[in-house]
Amino acid sequence: MTDVIEVRFKGNRKEFFSWPSAEPLALHDSVIVEVDRGQDLGRVSAVGPVAAKKCAGSCSGCSLAEASAPPPDATRRILRRATEADTVIAEQLHQEEEDIRRRVTERAHSHTLPMKVSDAEWQWDRKKLTVYFTAEQRVDFRALVRDLASLFHTRIELRQIGARDEAKRLDGVGRCGRQYCCSSWLPELRPVSLALAKDQHLSLNPSQISGGCGRLLCCLRYEHDFYVQTRKRFPKEGRVLRTAVGAERVLAVDVFRETVTLRTDAGDTRVVSLEKLNGEVSGADA
């Protein structure tokens, strides 16, 4: 039986592979996998039904997610478990990557390219070097690729990524004091709009609702559904209600304390619980 295995690489990059052996793999096992024109080393991050479900959710109609075993040539495979010597090679490559990033940055500047080189990643067999960069616009880096190929004597891939993807690769600590969600547990980056902050009545100051990537915080999505559903129980701000006091305008609502702030035409304000307000409105309507 062919199992589906999720394997992670540097920068939280993950891919799915088949494991045709009967000997099971465990989480965090180092493995050598089949990649385009070569081999790479990664660590097992999900196995069994969990890996199959994640694989099915990451694409449409992936053959790995099918119940029956896919044809041998239909998907990439895990070739074998990694040995200690394989891991040593990978560690040596990782130690070189920061120096490579600086050298690529120098070459990009010499070509006067408007790009920021974020990271470099060796393939385990050194047959490919992937360089990740960010830029405000599309960059014609064909001359740079030829330059880098002659410098490192391998196949070069330059990959442009967004600011949020850069933060996910490089990792860091957010304003909450914890590791970035996108680098630790968040499975995928979903769109975040300013409307989410407005619905939660948060400050629209960019410095207060932006993450380390400079984009809106991913966590603005976490409680959004709660706010939307809870606010349906409250009257909208600005609405005029007929209460026991008379006509009052809704100034603000507090979804956590379940209170509503009201103001009369005379300018008097009061804070009342939602339950009491509903009773007053019902009594006034009767």
Side-chain angles (χ1 to χ4, degrees):
M1 179 180 177
T2 301
D3 290 332
V4 179
I5 305 294
E6 181 188 70
V7 179
R8 286 188 180 269
F9 305 90
K10 180 185 176 182
N12 294 296
R13 179 171 61 89
K14 66 179 180 180
E15 296 184 34
F16 297 92
F17 300 87
S18 62
W19 174 241
S21 174
E23 183 182 359
L25 291 170
L27 292 178
H28 310 301
D29 280 352
S30 297
V31 292
I32 300 296
V33 301
E34 180 181 60
V35 294
D36 183 31
R37 305 184 194 178
Q39 299 176 4
D40 206 354
L41 183 144
R43 294 187 181 275
V44 175
S45 54
V47 298
V50 174
K53 185 175 181 179
K54 294 173 73 174
C55 178
S58 65
C59 63
S60 56
C62 176
S63 60
L64 279 172
E66 296 177 0
S68 58
D73 59 347
T75 182
R76 292 170 300 174
R77 300 168 297 158
I78 294 177
L79 301 176
R80 58 180 175 85
R81 295 177 184 272
T83 64
E84 185 175 348
D86 297 332
T87 305
V88 171
I89 293 174
E91 290 297 328
Q92 293 174 346
L93 293 176
H94 290 333
Q95 293 173 7
E96 298 177 12
E97 289 167 348
E98 178 56 27
D99 180 61
I100 290 174
R101 186 193 67 80
R102 288 194 292 266
R103 295 170 68 183
V104 173
T105 299
E106 293 172 357
R107 294 301 176 102
H109 287 167
S110 67
H111 286 270
T112 63
L113 294 176
M115 56 190 290
K116 173 192 171 187
V117 180
S118 303
D119 196 15
E121 181 180 358
W122 271 115
Q123 191 167 286
W124 176 78
D125 57 9
R126 298 183 72 98
K127 291 185 178 180
K128 185 176 79 168
L129 175 64
T130 304
V131 178
Y132 298 88
F133 71 94
T134 60
E136 295 297 328
Q137 56 192 4
R138 293 190 63 179
V139 178
D140 184 359
F141 48 69
R142 289 173 292 182
L144 176 62
V145 169
R146 292 192 293 268
D147 190 3
L148 297 178
S150 63
L151 177 63
F152 297 111
H153 305 289
T154 189
R155 186 162 63 96
I156 303 295
E157 178 182 349
L158 263 68
R159 186 174 299 179
Q160 184 171 354
I161 58 177
R164 298 177 76 197
D165 292 304
E166 180 186 44
K168 181 176 182 178
R169 281 196 63 84
L170 301 183
D171 203 355
V173 176
R175 59 188 300 115
C176 58
R178 305 188 64 176
Q179 182 184 11
Y180 290 162
C181 295
C182 60
S183 300
S184 54
W185 66 270
L186 195 62
E188 62 181 17
L189 299 177
R190 300 175 62 188
V192 181
S193 67
L194 197 60
L196 302 181
K198 292 180 179 178
D199 288 343
Q200 299 174 46
H201 287 197
L202 298 175
S203 168
L204 300 184
N205 185 339
S207 64
Q208 297 184 17
I209 58 175
S210 298
C213 60
R215 302 295 189 266
L216 293 175
L217 291 162
C218 293
C219 55
L220 292 179
R221 296 195 64 95
Y222 300 166
E223 297 178 349
H224 182 249
D225 290 342
F226 163 78
Y227 278 94
V228 171
Q229 295 301 319
T230 302
R231 284 188 181 279
K232 291 180 180 179
R233 300 170 45 229
F234 288 80
K236 293 183 177 181
E237 290 90 339
R239 182 181 175 185
V240 177
L241 303 175
R242 181 67 59 180
T243 67
V245 177
E248 293 184 290
R249 185 178 299 275
V250 178
L251 292 183
V253 299
D254 188 328
V255 297
F256 294 104
R257 295 184 176 88
E258 293 210 344
T259 59
V260 180
T261 302
L262 304 168
R263 183 175 63 189
T264 64
D265 293 337
D268 298 327
T269 62
R270 64 172 180 143
V271 179
V272 61
S273 68
L274 177 64
E275 182 179 3
K276 181 179 179 182
L277 177 62
N278 288 335
E280 291 185 11
V281 172
S282 298
D285 292 340

